[in-house]
Amino acid sequence: MALGTQDRSAPAPPEPPPDRAGGGRKGSKSRKGLAPYLLTLPGVAWLVAFFAAPLGFMFLFTFYDGTIDIGYSFTSDWPQTYFEAFTTYDTQIIRSVIYALIVTVATLLISFPMMYWIAMKGGRRKNLFVLLMLLPFFTPFLIRTLAWQLVLSDQGIFLGTLKDIGLLSADFKLLASPLAVISGMTYNFLPFMALPLYVALEKLDSSLLDAAADLYSSKREAFLKVTLPLTLPGVFAGSLLTFIPSVGDFIDAEILGNPNTTMIGSIIRRQLLVNQDYPTGAALSFLLIAGILVAVFLYARALGTEELTG
Amino acid sequence: MANVRLEDVSKAFKSAVAVDNLTLTIDEGEFFSLLGPSGCGKTTTLRMIGGFEEPSSGRIWLGDEDVSGLPAHKRDVNTVFQSYALFPHLSVAENVAYGLKRQGVAKDEIGPRVEAMLELVDLEGYGQRRTTQLSGGQQQRVALARALVNRPQVLLLDEPLGALDLKLRKQMQLELKRIQSEVGITFIYVTHDQEEAMTMSDRIAVMSAGRLEQVGAPQDVYELPATSFVASFLGASNLLEGEIEGTSGEVTKVRLGVGGTVTLPAGRLTDSEGPVAVGVRPEKLHIQTTNSSEVDRGDNAIEATVVNSTYTGVSTSYECATSDGTRLVVYVQNLERSASPPGAGAKVRLTWDPDHTFAVSKARPEKT
């Protein structure tokens, strides 16, 4: 006899009584159908007014030519704007992408073990540990980065001490180097990676790890076959949340770097706010957006997490 | 042949002793249940056999091998978890194949074994489904297939039917029993449902507060409970306090505190004198209105007053009180339509066959 034929053939949902299914309910039905959209109205209005519209204006700017002094006029030669923007600043664009990739990998490598430990071994103090990790980020971005400048400075508390005891040569420099910029960014963007990872790790059912052990998996195999696949959505979300703002970041590069570490964010900021060359700034912005979209798409395809995140 | 042996196994957690000096032998091919209320240590015992908890002291033997210090993934046992613990990122077939892959079973052997196992649990054709698309009963069967496909020496089941509704549970009880006799693997089954344990088990170990109360076949633990805990956990316990009067031949007499004497087979008492509690199961009691008939010769009898009666269709249950207030429950099958069943306040006489009398040890105070 079949095991549990009962639960396989679930009873059909009861038919609605005929008198209630008839006409006369159409009005309330369509109102019900609209309700979800009405609820999103404030959010949509906000996005249109403060995100889509400015973005649209920025996009229009890329079809114009000129400066604030001579005025702007439409140009049919707008592809040239994009081309020039890219060829002039390709170094900075590529550098930004490379830095952001390094930062994403570094934050992942640093925060995964840390969040794993908190989620699995934190016990009742889990929330406390997460709070402790987040505590430095209660200070503003700029202050934190300036603090890093002090930490990394040539005669600062860290390098100075090492130099005094002779572990480093006196002319060793950390500040104003790519390493300093990447370190600062890694530090500043850590929570963006750590928190999604924590959420994914924390909701991992520990009985699944028992089951893996029961089914002949060593700790390492259980991690690779169960923990990692089930936390991939967290890795995915964390990577996006880290990579995207990292590419456009300019504060770390300006405070901790040198002219050879300038990132595309600085260039855009300078074009828009200092040089007031809106067409070039806007074109660079859209190149960046396009680049990020392509990168995210490729990443999602490679990781195959569309189903998991969906 | 002994398949699983626990020797003086104890497990202490930070705040409490979960399992206290447990010694058990489970035979090969047996359907063995660990029965007790929540917190009695039955799941901890199971987890120690599975390798998820290490005993604080004592040894665990699996066949001839001492597995006390062996981690779960090196033990030849598999578990059906209470929450099923199916891998949500894998399909039904991948879930079932998981253990075989880890063991390095040849690829061309895995497919047929998974298919055969899905057929055994009546899930053929479900291999490509996601486990999240299945009903509770189906998930339960995937969990069973995932464990059994590895052909372990012992299958551990941790309240596997707890999340199913009553009807499905009854059906699964019979199915589990069928599957067990088909595969011939030792099943160790944890449950708090005494009816479930009695339906399925060859033997039952009743546990309370981390200690073993009694081990035996379902009939033995029900008909002849050894402790007052077992008597009350496996159904209504009608216990009467008394004092041993003496044994003559095959029969021991006990003088009851409430007055009168009852007899029981001599072998059922461990002591030859002193205080004792005797009991009788509710369905073994007969109820008579006091002035009607004589007591059958040799039957035990006690006077009582009906406190209330509940008609449940197939039977009527009476709650009676003796003169000292001890409550006794009587189940009477409604074989005929009784014109005037005794109502509340009626004086009645309860009688039963001395052979149905059991005695419980008073050595240990009752724990609930």
Side-chain angles (χ1 to χ4, degrees):
Chain A
M1 214 330 262
L3 249 177
T5 27
Q6 235 104 26
D7 64 313
R8 185 176 300 174
S9 55
E15 291 284 326
D19 58 320
R20 297 186 68 205
R25 272 172 55 81
K26 271 218 164 122
S28 77
K29 206 174 184 181
S30 67
R31 217 185 305 146
K32 256 189 188 160
L34 270 180
Y37 300 103
L38 289 172
L39 283 172
T40 62
L41 200 59
V44 169
W46 177 276
L47 274 178
V48 168
F50 298 108
F51 177 72
L55 204 66
F57 285 129
M58 283 295 279
F59 192 56
L60 284 180
F61 257 123
T62 65
F63 298 101
Y64 283 75
D65 200 2
T67 68
I68 198 147
D69 298 323
I70 59 171
Y72 298 100
S73 59
F74 182 79
T75 168
S76 58
D77 202 20
W78 56 267
Q80 188 63 25
T81 314
Y82 280 95
F83 184 74
E84 259 177 33
F86 184 75
T87 47
T88 316
Y89 299 110
D90 58 341
T91 328
Q92 286 82 355
I93 290 176
I94 291 166
R95 181 185 294 139
S96 298
V97 171
I98 291 173
Y99 282 10
L101 282 176
I102 296 173
V103 167
T104 306
V105 172
T107 51
L108 180 64
L109 293 180
I110 292 169
S111 54
F112 199 101
M114 183 163 75
M115 291 342 238
Y116 184 88
W117 185 86
I118 294 179
M120 303 288 169
K121 314 278 179 196
R124 277 178 303 169
R125 295 202 191 83
K126 274 181 196 173
N127 291 337
L128 176 70
F129 290 134
V130 174
L131 181 71
L132 283 178
M133 187 208 76
L134 287 178
L135 216 49
F137 299 95
F138 285 30
T139 52
F141 200 109
L142 195 61
I143 306 290
R144 266 180 280 143
T145 312
L146 286 168
W148 265 76
Q149 197 179 31
L150 287 176
V151 170
L152 298 180
S153 65
D154 297 343
Q155 289 306 326
I157 183 162
F158 185 57
L159 293 190
T161 313
L162 287 177
K163 284 173 183 172
D164 286 346
I165 60 174
L167 277 176
L168 288 174
S169 64
D171 55 354
F172 181 85
K173 277 175 81 76
L174 205 52
L175 203 62
S177 72
L179 184 62
V181 176
I182 291 168
S183 309
M185 287 170 73
T186 302
Y187 166 73
N188 275 320
F189 289 108
L190 193 74
F192 294 89
M193 179 64 86
L195 288 179
L197 279 182
Y198 177 73
V199 171
L201 284 162
E202 213 269 334
K203 73 175 185 194
L204 187 74
D205 183 356
S206 69
S207 73
L208 293 178
L209 299 178
D210 276 350
D214 187 62
L215 297 163
Y216 316 103
S217 301
S218 63
K219 286 234 161 80
R220 190 176 149 272
E221 280 177 320
F223 179 81
L224 291 176
K225 296 286 177 187
V226 177
T227 309
L228 204 55
L230 287 175
T231 44
L232 266 191
V235 174
F236 181 75
S239 300
L240 292 188
L241 288 177
T242 310
F243 179 77
I244 294 170
S246 299
V247 175
D249 178 50
F250 59 90
I251 293 181
D252 287 283
E254 290 191 359
I255 295 180
L256 303 172
N258 63 35
N260 289 326
T261 65
T262 307
M263 293 177 66
I264 193 64
S266 296
I267 305 292
I268 294 173
R269 187 181 73 90
R270 208 178 304 152
Q271 293 299 345
L272 292 178
L273 302 180
V274 181
N275 302 349
Q276 287 168 330
D277 181 355
Y278 289 130
T280 305
L284 281 172
S285 301
F286 279 93
L287 283 174
L288 194 60
I289 290 171
I292 288 172
L293 284 178
V294 169
V296 167
F297 178 73
L298 291 177
Y299 181 59
R301 286 292 290 272
L303 217 56
T305 50
E306 275 160 294
E307 194 181 353
L308 288 168
T309 47
Chain B
M1 194 193 129
N3 196 196
V4 178
R5 217 163 75 230
L6 278 71
E7 285 177 6
D8 303 320
V9 171
S10 294
K11 175 72 187 177
F13 291 108
K14 263 178 227 157
S15 51
V17 176
V19 175
D20 190 0
N21 224 7
L22 188 68
T23 298
L24 260 185
T25 302
I26 296 155
D27 294 330
E28 194 162 339
E30 203 175 15
F31 199 120
F32 191 91
S33 289
L34 293 167
L35 174 67
S38 59
C40 75
K42 56 192 193 300
T43 295
T44 307
T45 305
L46 197 78
R47 288 178 63 81
M48 285 193 288
I49 299 172
F52 307 112
E53 307 280 356
E54 227 180 297
S56 311
S57 66
R59 317 245 60 133
I60 297 172
W61 297 79
L62 193 63
D64 298 326
E65 192 188 359
D66 181 354
V67 297
S68 313
L70 217 57
H73 70 275
K74 291 188 175 157
R75 293 192 194 192
D76 194 12
V77 297
N78 289 110
T79 309
V80 176
F81 294 89
Q82 187 169 16
S83 59
Y84 313 141
L86 300 176
F87 302 123
H89 58 300
L90 301 179
S91 70
V92 169
E94 286 168 333
N95 263 280
V96 178
Y98 187 94
L100 297 176
K101 280 188 190 157
R102 297 286 88 68
Q103 287 180 101
V105 173
K107 271 218 170 81
D108 51 344
E109 198 191 319
I110 291 178
R113 273 175 76 174
V114 169
E115 280 301 308
M117 196 45 69
L118 285 177
E119 200 172 315
L120 180 75
V121 299
D122 198 47
L123 280 178
E124 56 264 68
Y126 280 67
Q128 297 319 308
R129 300 266 187 112
R130 309 285 308 224
T131 57
T132 44
Q133 296 171 326
L134 302 183
S135 71
Q138 291 168 338
Q139 292 186 19
Q140 207 277 320
R141 282 177 277 148
V142 175
L144 186 64
R146 186 179 67 174
L148 275 178
V149 76
N150 304 293
R151 298 173 190 154
Q153 281 191 54
V154 181
L155 184 74
L156 309 175
L157 302 105
D158 185 8
E159 307 219 16
L161 308 183
L164 305 181
D165 63 61
L166 187 66
K167 202 172 168 189
L168 192 54
R169 207 153 81 199
K170 296 268 179 215
Q171 196 187 343
M172 281 302 298
Q173 289 173 5
L174 299 176
E175 283 305 324
L176 275 177
K177 192 73 183 144
R178 172 186 69 82
I179 288 169
Q180 197 248 346
S181 58
E182 239 168 82
V183 296
I185 290 172
T186 311
F187 277 34
I188 303 179
Y189 192 95
V190 159
T191 182
H192 63 265
D193 182 337
Q194 31 96 13
E195 205 181 311
E196 190 167 285
M198 287 198 266
T199 309
M200 305 166 74
S201 317
D202 297 317
R203 284 196 304 151
I204 297 174
V206 184
M207 290 181 70
S208 160
R211 307 185 69 150
L212 192 61
E213 292 277 332
Q214 189 176 3
V215 188
Q219 296 88 329
D220 295 340
V221 287
Y222 181 74
E223 307 279 351
L224 299 172
T227 67
S228 59
F229 175 82
V230 177
S232 58
F233 192 73
L234 272 80
S237 74
N238 294 325
L239 289 177
L240 296 158
E241 307 281 329
E243 185 115 9
I244 298 170
E245 205 171 81
T247 304
S248 62
E250 301 282 283
V251 175
T252 301
K253 274 193 170 179
V254 173
R255 172 160 296 282
L256 297 181
V258 64
T261 58
V262 295
T263 57
L264 70 159
R268 296 207 180 141
L269 283 171
T270 42
D271 303 321
S272 58
E273 56 184 60
V276 70
V278 295
V280 58
R281 289 295 181 193
E283 70 281 5
K284 305 288 194 308
L285 283 169
H286 305 289
I287 195 163
Q288 304 178 335
T289 41
T290 343
N291 49 14
S292 66
S293 49
E294 283 301 302
V295 178
D296 281 346
R297 221 144 49 93
D299 265 8
N300 289 323
I302 187 169
E303 310 294 327
T305 309
V306 175
V307 178
N308 65 54
S309 68
T310 314
Y311 178 78
T312 61
V314 65
S315 65
T316 303
S317 94
Y318 296 93
E319 195 185 342
C320 304
T322 61
S323 59
D324 68 348
T326 307
R327 296 287 163 125
L328 296 173
V329 180
V330 185
Y331 297 152
V332 179
Q333 252 196 304
N334 294 325
L335 298 174
E336 286 160 44
R337 282 188 60 195
S338 171
S340 57
K347 298 272 180 212
V348 291
R349 178 183 294 143
L350 307 175
T351 64
W352 69 96
D353 186 337
D355 195 39
H356 292 148
T357 316
F358 57 80
V360 299
S361 104
K362 302 254 301 167
R364 198 181 300 151
E366 185 172 341
K367 293 165 190 157
T368 46

